[in-house]
Amino acid sequence: MDARERLVVSAQELLHERGYVGTSPRAVQERAGAGQGSMYHHFTGKADLARTALRRTADTERAGAEALLSGPGTALERLTAYLLRPRDVLRGCPVGRHALDPDVVADPGLRAPLEETFDWLQRRLAEVVAEGQRAGELRAGVDPAAVAAALVATVQGGYVLARSAGHPEPFAQATGGALALLTALAR
Amino acid sequence: MDARERLVVSAQELLHERGYVGTSPRAVQERAGAGQGSMYHHFTGKADLARTALRRTADTERAGAEALLSGPGTALERLTAYLLRPRDVLRGCPVGRHALDPDVVADPGLRAPLEETFDWLQRRLAEVVAEGQRAGELRAGVDPAAVAAALVATVQGGYVLARSAGHPEPFAQATGGALALLTALAR
DNA sequence: GTCTATACGCGGATAGAC
DNA sequence: GTCTATCCGCGTATAGAC
């Protein structure tokens, strides 16, 4: 792994752990084993490096979700797989955790990966919900896009509750509750 | 309003806007129109001031929610009122926004207000759900605590989606979806 | 490409005068 | 109680040598 690559990976890790405001170029360089000069050679500065790192993180997340949602099983099974997917809950969502940072939201290049990820995710989940309705698995008459948004939000909010509590149970409860509501829509 | 009070209020505002890491004592002092000396006279430092401010914010939020949940109306109507309560969505939740900050979560005095707020909220919503089940408004056989967790998470996640998108619609979609699922449980 | 040197202001706090 | 002075290290970046 060359220096540029190590810088990106280190930035991804630190951004996940400490957020954008909490991540200093120095810390990234140290973790990457690269010097000042190296970093400022490959990137114009902190924001530039963060944009690259965030975009990569977002792409990875999207690929992971797509694997689940396009996998085998009925629509309901795939939605369940998305909700119950194993997650490192107490670390927070590597994408969603940045939504509350004003510096991220203010920089279009930094916000774009977030917007694209959730936009895509919501659309993709809505497709699966609609699929389930056509197949008669899920009751019709409920807006697929709204249900999809609720599912994504439950996951993102689950992270918030779990980190507030200091343990992962609230996440499991929230996704379990969403699942129960979804299942009720099936009968 | 005396200096101490202005410091607390200014800290509440800045913590809401910029988070804990993003809020400097200097900025708080400036907004409060107070000097260094004043702040360090009333508080031992940044963390102490933030603890006071966060606790107050949490208390206010709790009072607001309780007013809705103990108000008039059927259980389902009160749950709906909680979900559809007018919120300044793009500003984020003044309590939940801190859950992803490592410095907040690492300090028990800072995390406590978050934990207590969500713990209480989930319990309170679960009571209302159970009430609705006893009254025959909501189908029994679904865990009230899980449904409550899902509702709280939907709201918290809604903030994340809205801020990621740069506009409030995803929040409305998410709460609308949760409401649709909840309503499906009624029939 | 990477290193070292250097810069400047801010973050967070202490000290002592008034 | 509040003010001003002062502190030290970090955040973020530039400059120029190798």
Side-chain angles (χ1 to χ4, degrees), chain A residues 52-74:
Chain A
T52 305
L54 250 187
R55 192 158 284 290
R56 190 177 296 185
T57 296
D59 288 347
T60 304
E61 287 298 302
R62 195 190 308 209
E66 176 59 17
L68 285 178
L69 293 175
S70 69
T74 65

Side-chain angles (χ1 to χ4, degrees), chain A residues 15-143:
Chain A
L15 285 170
H16 187 179
E17 290 166 23
R18 316 230 6 116
Y20 183 71
V21 212
T23 298
S24 70
R26 273 165 125 96
V28 175
Q29 290 152 208
E30 241 164 82
R31 180 173 298 215
Q36 294 268 92
S38 182
M39 181 191 132
Y40 284 100
H41 171 73
H42 293 292
F43 303 93
T44 71
K46 172 178 176 172
D48 187 30
L49 171 52
R51 280 189 282 269
T52 305
L54 250 187
R55 192 158 284 290
R56 190 177 296 185
T57 296
D59 288 347
T60 304
E61 287 298 302
R62 195 190 308 209
E66 176 59 17
L68 285 178
L69 293 175
S70 69
T74 65
L76 191 53
E77 281 167 356
R78 280 174 286 144
L79 294 175
T80 304
Y82 168 71
L83 282 174
L84 301 188
R85 175 184 187 184
R87 290 175 171 97
D88 203 341
V89 170
L90 285 183
R91 295 189 69 210
C93 173
V95 176
R97 73 120 40 243
H98 297 104
L100 295 145
D101 188 318
D103 291 4
V104 169
V105 168
D107 180 332
L110 282 171
R111 186 169 66 79
L114 310 195
E115 177 163 20
E116 288 161 17
T117 298
F118 290 124
D119 201 64
W120 172 86
L121 187 54
Q122 194 192 328
R123 250 202 290 276
R124 195 66 190 80
L125 282 168
E127 285 173 16
V128 179
V129 169
E131 204 181 309
Q133 289 179 327
R134 282 195 304 274
E137 282 182 77
L138 294 172
R139 195 182 307 172
V142 177
D143 179 13

Side-chain angles (χ1 to χ4, degrees), chain B residues 22-83:
Chain B
T23 298
S24 70
R26 275 164 124 95
V28 176
Q29 291 152 207
E30 240 164 83
R31 180 173 297 216
Q36 294 269 90
S38 182
M39 184 192 129
Y40 283 99
H41 170 74
H42 292 292
F43 302 94
T44 71
K46 173 179 174 172
D48 186 31
L49 172 52
R51 280 189 281 269
T52 304
L54 250 187
R55 190 158 283 290
R56 190 178 295 186
T57 297
D59 288 347
T60 305
E61 287 299 301
R62 194 190 309 209
E66 176 60 18
L68 284 178
L69 293 176
S70 69
T74 66
L76 191 52
E77 280 167 357
R78 280 174 287 145
L79 294 175
T80 303
Y82 169 71
L83 282 174

Side-chain angles (χ1 to χ4, degrees), chain A residues 17-19 21-22 91-93 95-103 105 111 114-115 118 122 139 142-143 145-147 149-161 163-167 170 173-178 180-185 187, chain B residues 17-19 21-22 91-93 95-103 105 111 114-115 118 122 139 142-143 145-147 149-161 163-167 170 173-178 180-185 187:
Chain A
E17 290 166 23
R18 316 230 6 116
V21 212
R91 295 189 69 210
C93 173
V95 176
R97 73 120 40 243
H98 297 104
L100 295 145
D101 188 318
D103 291 4
V105 168
R111 186 169 66 79
L114 310 195
E115 177 163 20
F118 290 124
Q122 194 192 328
R139 195 182 307 172
V142 177
D143 179 13
V147 173
L151 296 181
V152 180
T154 300
V155 168
Q156 291 300 314
Y159 283 114
V160 170
L161 301 188
R163 286 191 53 109
S164 295
H167 53 79
Q173 275 201 309
T175 50
L181 290 172
L182 200 59
T183 308
L185 201 66
R187 282 185 247 123
Chain B
E17 288 165 25
R18 314 227 11 112
V21 211
R91 295 189 69 211
C93 173
V95 176
R97 71 113 53 240
H98 297 104
L100 295 147
D101 188 319
D103 291 4
V105 168
R111 185 169 66 77
L114 311 195
E115 177 163 19
F118 290 124
Q122 193 192 329
R139 194 182 310 171
V142 179
D143 179 12
V147 172
L151 295 180
V152 180
T154 300
V155 168
Q156 291 300 313
Y159 283 114
V160 170
L161 301 187
R163 285 192 53 111
S164 294
H167 54 78
Q173 274 202 310
T175 50
L181 289 172
L182 200 59
T183 309
L185 200 65
R187 280 186 249 120

